[in-house]
């Protein structure tokens, strides 16, 4: 789950990373009251979860005298289609230099990796593409709870030594908060020292409960519903709904759809031993996506019973055509239950996919 900038800065601040003085406002009327707390000019920052926020107009510099007008303007805007409902008012930093710092997981190496670049800021992506050598990288053993000094020295080289402390603190945030990404871009040098001018924190969804987060707000209503039932569920862009059991079988179904020129609307693995009710919920969930024109149910009966599956499909009673491929335990009973009704029963996955692709054409 992604934290917004102000939430991430709150966490970073708790770990001793210097962050600018700030106030969060939810309406332009609240600007005047918070201005007294700032000595200098301010920066108004839309709290929206979009990349390239600054370039899209989400960061506005203002003097105290024109801050109200600037806030009214910012609240009335949409940043890459996202309305602005919260704005972080911050003291403006006198930035002498912008660095890039992030910690993420190197999945193939199975350890955290720290990235540091001398030239951070809004153009970091193109800078990293043009000069990949400018981004320094350090792999940290997951057994360590401090970043070794030699790694820090190698990362920062000629950059101010205070950055070393920030790297270590960000690493503590990363480990303690079960993060997938902790990023400061830009990490800035000012006459008053080093500051995190921006902050990004993404928590591993699998660790939300441990982190005391009960609702994953990044999920759509349907994804939340799927989580409740324990389905592995991902929404995609196509129009063919897919329900399978086992990640392998479900993925193969998606691959085959793609191979035949179709486009899947989702991935849904109901898991092993799904009974009548579970299947009903799965079919209804997929049918609930407005984009779904046809649904392929591709289930292999092992501990899953095909007659239970058939009942579940009927219980769901969805308007879209359902193409069913059932094989394995109680297959015959399943077929009998569905026979004579409005379902297309097929014998193989290949057939199911062909029929699905044809149906949407
Ligand atoms: P992003 O576009 O979402 O990454 O927004 P950032 O918070 O990183 O801000 C974008 C850019 O605005 C930064 O790279 C800085 O150049 C500039 N900026 C942000 N805060 C300040 C500030 O306090 N003072 C100054 N001078 N520039 C700032
Ligand atoms: Mn940024």
């Amino acid at each position: 789950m992604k934290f917004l900038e102000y939430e991430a800065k709150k966490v970073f601040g708790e770990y001793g990373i210097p962050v600018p003085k700030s106030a969060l406002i939810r309406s332009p009327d609240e600007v005047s009251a918070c201005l007294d707390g700032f000595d200098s000019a301010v920066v108004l920052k839309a709290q929206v979860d979009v990349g390239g926020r600054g370039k899209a107009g989400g960061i506005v510099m203002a003097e105290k005298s024109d801050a109200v007008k600037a806030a009214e303007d910012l609240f009335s805007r949409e940043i890459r289609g996202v309305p602005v409902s919260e704005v972080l008012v911050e003291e403006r930093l006198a930035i002498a230099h912008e660095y890039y710092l992030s910690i993420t997981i190197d999945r193939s190496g199975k350890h955290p990796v720290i990235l540091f670049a001398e030239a951070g800021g809004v153009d970091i992506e193109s800078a990293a593409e043009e000069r990949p050598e400018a981004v320094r990288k350090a792999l940290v053993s997951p057994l360590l709870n401090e970043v070794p000094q030699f790694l820090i020295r190698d990362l920062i080289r000629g950059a101010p030594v205070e950055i070393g402390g920030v790297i270590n603190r960000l690493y503590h945030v990363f480990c303690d908060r079960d993060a997938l990404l902790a990023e400061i871009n830009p990490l800035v040098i000012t006459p008053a020292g080093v500051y995190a001018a921006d902050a990004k924190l993404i928590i591993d969804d699998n660790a939300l409960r441990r982190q005391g987060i009960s609702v994953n707000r990044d999920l759509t209503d349907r994804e939340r519903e799927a989580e409740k039932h324990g389905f592995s569920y991902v929404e995609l862009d196509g129009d063919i709904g897919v329900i399978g059991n086992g990640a392998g079988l479900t993925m193969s179904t998606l691959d085959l759809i793609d191979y035949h020129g179709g486009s899947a609307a989702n991935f849904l693995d109901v898991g092993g031993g799904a009974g009548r009710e579970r299947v009903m919920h799965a079919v209804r969930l997929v049918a609930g996506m407005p984009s779904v024109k046809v649904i392929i149910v591709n289930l292999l009966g092992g501990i899953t019973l095909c007659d239970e599956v058939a009942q579940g499909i009927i219980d769901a009673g969805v308007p879209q055509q359902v193409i069913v491929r059932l094989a394995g335990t109680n297959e015959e009973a399943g077929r009998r239950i569905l026979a004579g009704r409005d379902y297309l029963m097929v014998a193989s996955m290949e057939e199911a996919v062909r029929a699905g692709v044809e149906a949407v054409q």
Side-chain angles (χ1 to χ4, degrees):
M1 190 183 91
K2 295 190 195 103
F3 277 31
L4 289 168
E5 177 190 10
Y6 78 92
E7 297 169 312
K9 278 184 168 161
K10 185 162 173 284
V11 176
F12 290 7
E14 285 164 14
Y15 280 77
I17 297 170
V19 292
K21 201 190 286 177
S22 71
L24 183 77
I25 60 170
R26 295 196 163 85
S27 125
D29 310 336
E30 297 171 40
V31 179
S32 315
C34 75
L35 285 178
D36 292 342
F38 300 102
D39 302 326
S40 63
V42 293
V43 186
L44 304 176
K45 312 183 82 178
Q47 298 300 288
V48 288
D49 167 28
V50 299
R53 178 180 54 156
K55 288 189 166 171
I59 308 287
V60 180
M61 307 281 162
E63 298 305 318
K64 275 183 163 186
S65 56
D66 60 18
V68 175
K69 212 184 152 304
E72 281 168 357
D73 182 48
L74 188 55
F75 272 104
S76 71
R77 240 184 277 165
E78 283 189 354
I79 311 301
R80 295 201 202 281
V82 181
V84 179
S85 58
E86 295 173 314
V87 167
L88 189 66
V89 184
E90 277 192 344
E91 72 179 339
R92 177 139 21 126
L93 303 168
I95 299 179
H97 191 83
E98 303 193 350
Y99 295 93
Y100 173 88
L101 171 65
S102 74
I103 307 178
T104 184
I105 298 277
D106 177 339
R107 285 175 187 268
S108 45
K110 303 189 181 94
H111 45 209
V113 54
I114 305 174
L115 300 174
F116 179 76
E118 295 265 358
V122 294
D123 291 318
I124 184 68
E125 285 90 356
S126 53
E129 217 161 89
E130 281 157 29
R131 292 182 51 237
E133 73 283 359
V135 181
R136 294 174 208 145
K137 202 168 156 180
L139 307 178
V140 187
S141 160
L143 300 175
L144 296 175
N145 47 23
E146 301 286 328
V147 183
Q149 279 304 317
F150 75 90
L151 283 183
I152 289 182
R153 273 198 301 274
D154 192 45
L155 280 168
I156 65 177
R157 299 194 196 160
V161 289
E162 299 165 82
I163 292 176
V166 175
I167 292 177
N168 217 0
R169 291 181 182 126
L170 192 66
Y171 186 69
H172 293 155
V173 171
F174 183 82
C175 296
D176 290 356
R177 298 302 175 112
D178 291 310
L180 293 178
L181 175 74
E183 181 187 85
I184 303 176
N185 184 35
L187 174 67
V188 302
I189 301 299
T190 76
V194 60
Y195 283 93
D198 192 7
K200 198 175 261 182
L201 186 61
I202 303 177
I203 308 296
D204 186 341
D205 289 350
N206 296 305
L208 293 184
R209 195 169 304 185
R210 179 158 71 188
Q211 290 298 329
I213 299 168
S214 52
V215 177
N216 182 350
R217 37 165 214 228
D218 290 355
L219 298 183
T220 64
D221 289 345
R222 258 189 309 276
E223 284 168 337
R224 206 162 284 149
E225 172 83 8
E227 195 180 51
K228 203 179 81 194
H229 293 296
F231 301 145
S232 300
Y233 176 70
V234 181
E235 296 190 351
L236 305 166
D237 300 329
D239 47 12
I240 303 176
V242 177
I243 296 166
N245 60 346
L249 183 67
T250 315
M251 276 308 288
S252 316
T253 313
L254 296 195
D255 284 348
L256 208 55
I257 289 173
D258 187 69
Y259 179 77
H260 285 290
S263 166
N266 72 288
F267 171 101
L268 192 157
D269 169 13
V270 285
R276 178 170 175 171
E277 220 182 293
R278 248 177 108 65
V279 172
M280 178 194 77
H281 287 303
V283 175
R284 283 195 182 158
L285 191 79
V286 170
M289 293 178 73
S291 52
V292 169
K293 294 192 192 136
V294 59
I295 298 172
I296 296 176
V297 178
N298 183 15
L299 294 177
L300 201 66
I303 44 172
T304 303
L305 309 176
C306 292
D307 51 335
E308 287 269 325
V309 171
Q311 287 291 356
I313 294 171
I314 293 170
D315 292 348
V318 298
Q320 292 97 331
Q321 175 173 34
V322 184
I323 299 165
V324 188
R325 181 258 175 163
L326 290 175
T329 316
N330 297 358
E331 183 180 327
E332 275 315 310
R335 284 175 183 279
R336 270 199 304 276
I337 291 165
L338 289 173
R341 292 172 185 263
D342 237 359
Y343 301 99
L344 181 59
M345 298 279 296
V346 295
S348 72
M349 164 156 144
E350 180 80 27
E351 263 180 86
V353 169
R354 277 180 195 279
V357 173
E358 231 164 72
V360 296
Q361 270 163 2

